[in-house]
Amino acid sequence: MALNVSGVVAVVLFYILILGTGVWAARKSRRAERKSSGDRTEVVLLGDRNISLVVGIFTMTATWVGGGFILGVAEAVYTPKMGLIWALMPIQYSVSFIIGGLFFAKPMREKKYVTMMDPFQEKYGRVLSGALVLPCVLVDVLWVSCTLLGLGATMSVILDLHFGYSVWISAAVAIVYTLLGGLYSVAYTDVIQLTLAFLSLWLCVPFLLLNKTSASIAETAFNHTYQDPWVGSLDKDRVWKWIDDCLMLGLGSLSFQSFHQRTLSASSSSTAQLTCFAAAFLVAILGIPPALVGAVAASTDWNLTQYGSPPPYIRGEHSFVLPLTLQYLTPSYISIIGIGAVAAAVMSSTDSGSVICNFCFSSNIYKNILSSTVGVIRISCGSWWVLLETSILSTLNSTLVLWILGADVSYTLIFPHLISGPFFNVTNGYVRPLWGYIAGVTLRICWEEETFLGIPVVLHPGCTLDDIYVQKASVRTVSMLCTLVTILLFSWLAGLMCNHALLPERWDFRVRHIVTTAPPEDDLAQNLKMNGNDAECDENSRGVALQPLSQTGT
């Protein structure tokens, strides 16, 4: 197959449009910087907390509807062992947005946090919150890698363009306009990208449904025609696995910094909530076209197409089913339009992921632990490190695997802390939640479906171990619950022992560090101590000497 010149020209024009929009938004960001009296970092990374409702809805939806979303849904519907019932992303992400809008958007926006890690830093201090940044960064690296993999696969199939070239060029364009304008560039380019993705995907659907080599998807939904029905089935021994995936995608998505960046950048707390609710509806709508692509692919006699026999699943190319379907079942100009949809979706997620991943690392680790003088330029330049990491990870073969892996890390390691920190006052200090972090990492490794040696470390009820180990239990949910219980249990025990003088305060690293840096006590604080009003090591303490003063002031 020769290089598709017309397709390449169309993609180049699209990239020029996006880059021009990003440069225009960068100028808007510069004007906002000059007018703003607040922190320059908030202008660059949160759009000066002035993102309107309409732009917020577009950027929230576009960030989640990326290449991994589009290709992952199509791959799940087409894969014979899965089907539509296992394509959980559209519905579960809608549920995630609704939950986030109800319980997280308003309180976090009103407290004017900069990142999702700020409440952790208030509760745990800098060191432990810095440790929690590492899985957060890993999640975003996997997420961006997933989106770039989807774009590379699409362009390599339809344009016959080398996988690496398409990944590097697309990521470079996204990084350039992100460096220029920060969140302003990301948000305003998302408006164009989501519009193009929405129109392009729906424009391809009629051509796919009416092609002559495919049977009616209504007939193949529940009947075995060319492969198993594309609706899929939920066997009794896979029910717990399905529930596990539902909870992982629905709750784990709340631990993505991308979600909280959109709510924190809203112009008000009510705008943040409305953004979540509107995006929940749009994400579900945008999940329909890729699901139809997977259904058409499952209803196609591939032997009648130029692709030939055997079908993509037998060849191990089921992760490329969306570009293959566009290439062989639609006219060439329609397949080029499909490329535009995937490219738009990919860039809308890549720019957001690069900013978030880099800023979490720079702000919560470098700035708070290593150096307090980090500036916006140094934060922005770190995006090239993200580009390098995602380019390495993008050599993997399945967008769906990368997508689920990122959600797995978020659900089992970050979500328990996101719940215990803001909603349970018992959690505080370094030592106590640290045990939950260690327990979560250890249990998830031990309860992995397949370890490095190819055998499980821990067996669960309902699993089978023959020649191949098959995990049928809800290992992710069990790991998450164990992490949450460990955090609360150790926090309660440590607090109880501290209050009864059974645990020396110097054993708590957080208390020991603050004691050494606290100012000398004045007469009022000494009198309060004599009266028995000594500071307790609870979640609101800012130092042993300062706590009585803060209580008196209230």
Side-chain angles (χ1 to χ4, degrees):
M1 178 179 172
L3 180 66
N4 191 333
V5 178
S6 59
V8 173
V9 171
V11 171
V12 170
L13 292 176
F14 164 72
Y15 282 178
I16 292 175
L17 173 63
I18 294 300
L19 188 59
T21 305
V23 172
W24 170 82
R27 297 179 61 184
K28 182 179 178 65
S29 176
R30 295 291 184 271
R31 290 194 297 268
E33 273 187 47
R34 290 191 294 267
K35 295 179 181 179
S36 177
S37 58
D39 188 2
R40 184 186 177 194
T41 303
E42 290 192 5
V43 176
V44 174
L45 297 160
L46 293 178
D48 200 24
R49 301 188 189 273
N50 195 31
I51 300 299
S52 65
L53 177 61
V54 175
V55 176
I57 293 172
F58 271 92
T59 187
M60 175 78 84
T61 308
T63 299
W64 291 90
V65 182
F69 179 93
I70 295 175
L71 271 73
V73 171
E75 177 185 348
V77 175
Y78 169 71
T79 304
K81 294 182 180 180
M82 300 181 69
L84 179 64
I85 197 172
W86 290 90
L88 301 170
M89 287 181 283
I91 301 300
Q92 294 310 114
Y93 287 149
S94 297
V95 173
S96 177
F97 287 160
I98 293 174
I99 295 175
L102 292 174
F103 298 103
F104 292 95
K106 184 176 181 179
M108 296 188 72
R109 176 62 181 84
E110 289 178 345
K111 292 182 179 180
K112 295 185 177 181
Y113 290 134
V114 178
T115 70
M116 178 186 68
M117 310 308 297
D118 289 353
F120 300 156
Q121 188 167 323
E122 288 183 357
K123 283 276 187 174
Y124 303 154
R126 295 180 177 180
V127 175
L128 183 59
S129 63
L132 290 173
V133 171
L134 298 178
C136 181
V137 170
L138 177 60
V139 167
D140 288 309
V141 169
L142 292 171
W143 183 30
V144 176
S145 303
C146 175
T147 61
L148 291 176
L149 175 60
L151 178 63
T154 303
M155 289 193 174
S156 62
V157 170
I158 298 178
L159 300 182
D160 197 26
L161 186 64
H162 189 272
F163 178 90
Y165 295 157
S166 58
V167 168
W168 275 97
I169 293 172
S170 303
V173 171
I175 293 296
V176 166
Y177 69 72
T178 301
L179 290 178
L180 293 175
L183 186 64
Y184 271 114
S185 293
V186 172
Y188 284 98
T189 54
D190 281 348
V191 174
I192 296 178
Q193 291 159 353
L194 182 63
T195 302
L196 179 60
F198 181 85
L199 297 177
S200 301
L201 286 172
W202 280 105
L203 183 62
C204 295
V205 168
F207 292 90
L208 290 171
L209 294 176
L210 298 176
N211 82 90
K212 299 180 180 180
T213 58
S214 301
S216 172
I217 60 174
E219 298 177 359
T220 58
F222 301 98
N223 300 314
H224 188 290
T225 307
Y226 302 111
Q227 64 176 50
D228 294 338
W230 58 266
V231 170
S233 61
L234 187 59
D235 300 332
K236 182 179 180 180
D237 58 349
R238 295 202 297 170
V239 170
W240 289 110
K241 183 70 168 56
W242 185 83
I243 295 175
D244 197 24
D245 289 348
C246 286
L247 293 175
M248 176 190 67
L249 294 173
L251 300 179
S253 304
L254 296 171
S255 307
F256 277 47
Q257 171 61 23
S258 302
F259 170 79
H260 296 284
Q261 187 189 35
R262 295 315 187 267
T263 58
L264 294 175
S265 64
S267 57
S268 64
S269 58
S270 59
T271 300
Q273 289 184 302
L274 291 175
T275 298
C276 296
F277 300 147
F281 172 75
L282 290 179
V283 165
I285 296 298
L286 285 168
I288 297 176
L292 292 175
V293 172
V296 171
S299 307
T300 298
D301 184 359
W302 289 93
N303 194 36
L304 299 178
T305 67
Q306 294 182 0
Y307 183 80
S309 185
Y313 178 75
I314 303 299
R315 299 188 189 186
E317 297 180 350
H318 51 282
S319 59
F320 305 147
V321 67
L322 187 140
L324 289 173
T325 304
L326 294 176
Q327 173 68 14
Y328 294 102
L329 301 183
T330 63
S332 59
Y333 62 91
I334 294 297
S335 63
I336 293 174
I337 293 175
I339 289 178
V342 176
V346 165
M347 295 183 70
S348 65
S349 299
T350 301
D351 52 18
S352 175
S354 62
V355 170
I356 292 164
C357 177
N358 169 68
F359 179 61
C360 282
F361 182 84
S362 301
S363 178
N364 294 101
I365 294 182
Y366 186 86
K367 182 178 180 180
N368 289 335
I369 299 177
L370 302 178
S371 173
S372 61
T373 59
V374 62
V376 175
I377 296 178
R378 195 178 304 180
I379 288 174
S380 300
C381 290
S383 298
W384 295 103
W385 173 79
V386 180
L387 176 61
L388 176 61
E389 291 294 324
T390 53
S391 298
I392 294 173
L393 287 174
S394 294
T395 58
L396 299 179
N397 293 325
S398 176
T399 56
L400 191 60
V401 170
L402 279 173
W403 193 277
I404 292 178
L405 182 59
D408 191 340
V409 175
S410 175
Y411 181 51
T412 57
L413 297 184
I414 306 176
F415 180 72
H417 293 278
L418 185 65
I419 294 298
S420 62
F423 296 105
F424 292 90
N425 293 330
V426 70
T427 56
N428 65 300
Y430 277 121
V431 177
R432 304 158 194 177
L434 181 61
W435 288 109
Y437 186 75
I438 295 174
V441 174
T442 304
L443 291 175
R444 191 63 192 99
I445 293 175
C446 292
W447 292 348
E448 181 55 74
E449 285 82 352
E450 185 174 346
T451 61
F452 294 106
L453 298 178
I455 58 175
V457 178
V458 177
L459 299 179
H460 292 267
C463 69
T464 59
L465 179 58
D466 296 321
D467 294 334
I468 299 177
Y469 175 72
V470 179
Q471 180 61 264
K472 298 180 181 179
S474 302
V475 292
R476 301 181 183 94
T477 300
V478 173
S479 299
M480 184 274 294
L481 292 176
C482 288
T483 302
L484 180 60
V485 171
T486 303
I487 294 171
L488 298 178
L489 178 61
F490 275 86
S491 296
W492 178 77
L493 288 176
L496 184 66
M497 296 175 68
C498 182
N499 292 335
H500 290 80
L502 299 176
L503 180 67
E505 289 184 345
R506 65 178 182 272
W507 286 19
D508 193 318
F509 177 79
R510 176 172 180 261
V511 174
R512 184 171 70 248
H513 176 73
I514 297 178
V515 168
T516 59
T517 59
E521 295 178 336
D522 57 6
D523 295 336
L524 177 59
Q526 292 178 357
N527 291 335
L528 289 173
K529 272 194 170 185
M530 294 177 61
N531 293 330
N533 293 326
D534 192 10
E536 297 179 355
C537 48
D538 58 9
E539 69 280 4
N540 297 318
S541 64
R542 291 295 181 269
V544 173
L546 297 179
Q547 181 68 14
L549 292 176
S550 64
Q551 291 176 349
T552 304
T554 58

